[in-house]
Amino acid sequence: MSFKDPAPLELKRYIREVPDFPKPGILFYDISTLIRNPEAWQVATGRLAQAVSRFQPDLLAGIESRGFLTAAPLATRLGCGFTMLRKPGKLPGKTISHKYSLEYGEDELHIQADAVTPGQRVVVLDDLLATGGTLAASIDLLRKAGAEVVGASVMIELLALGGRKKIDVPVTSLLTYED
């Protein structure tokens, strides 16, 4: 990997904060304003690549759908494979599923049954770590598929929600917010 981080670029200034989305009382951190800026996106993916490379992954797994945005380009940059963790009915062929509880109900993720070779070193990626339910479920699903989950990485972590406590692998966060 040959990324050289330019003079410090404050990436938080490229994240748009959208109040009351998707429902009242929620402050949504929108990464679309970062990824559409070429300089900020290059710096962000370079920093993520440096963080993820220390896990020496064979495969990166992206959580639908914003996790795809970071996992796919990082897989190319790091020279490893990429697989998708998706909602039911989105993947062809035989899948392995995992249902999990969220604070507002239940959800389910799927992976193609042949997406992971048993023992493969996998890092799971998403855009945001909040309460940790989806990321923890993704790790459980990858383990069901035979992966050795060696880490997780997110663009944004909301520290006040304590999601990291639910994750039993090392987690790297590009940006953190206290509230």
Side-chain angles (χ1 to χ4, degrees):
M1 180 181 60
S2 61
F3 171 74
K4 184 174 179 185
D5 201 347
L9 181 65
E10 178 52 58
L11 293 176
K12 280 187 178 180
R13 72 184 182 108
Y14 295 94
I15 303 293
R16 177 175 38 203
E17 297 180 12
V18 182
D20 299 319
F21 184 82
K23 60 184 184 179
I26 300 292
L27 178 60
F28 185 82
Y29 293 93
D30 183 10
I31 66 167
S32 68
T33 48
L34 182 143
I35 64 177
R36 72 177 170 221
N37 180 286
E39 181 185 12
W41 185 228
Q42 285 298 314
V43 169
T45 57
R47 290 177 187 170
L48 284 169
Q50 285 181 326
V52 169
S53 68
R54 74 180 174 92
F55 298 122
Q56 300 177 337
D58 302 311
L59 185 71
L60 300 184
I63 301 171
E64 185 169 341
S65 64
R66 289 183 298 269
F68 299 169
L69 299 173
T70 54
L74 287 184
T76 298
R77 198 170 193 148
L78 297 175
C80 56
F82 166 69
T83 193
M84 298 173 284
L85 306 179
R86 302 214 57 193
K87 303 291 182 188
K90 300 286 186 176
L91 293 170
K94 185 177 177 189
T95 64
I96 299 169
S97 66
H98 182 72
K99 288 185 181 179
Y100 61 103
S101 296
L102 295 169
E103 56 277 1
Y104 53 83
E106 202 172 72
D107 213 341
E108 185 174 356
L109 286 171
H110 286 243
I111 188 171
Q112 290 174 312
D114 61 355
V116 176
T117 303
Q120 230 176 350
R121 295 175 60 83
V122 178
V123 174
V124 62
L125 292 105
D126 205 359
D127 67 324
L128 181 83
L129 173 56
T131 61
T134 301
L135 190 56
S138 298
I139 292 167
D140 290 344
L141 175 59
L142 285 161
R143 288 178 176 150
K144 271 188 186 179
E148 178 188 346
V149 182
V150 294
S153 186
V154 295
M155 288 192 65
I156 296 171
E157 181 176 359
L158 305 180
L159 298 173
L161 297 178
R164 186 179 287 253
K165 294 175 191 163
K166 292 183 182 174
I167 312 304
D168 65 358
V169 298
V171 179
T172 63
S173 305
L174 186 62
L175 303 169
T176 58
Y177 292 84
E178 293 294 331
D179 51 335

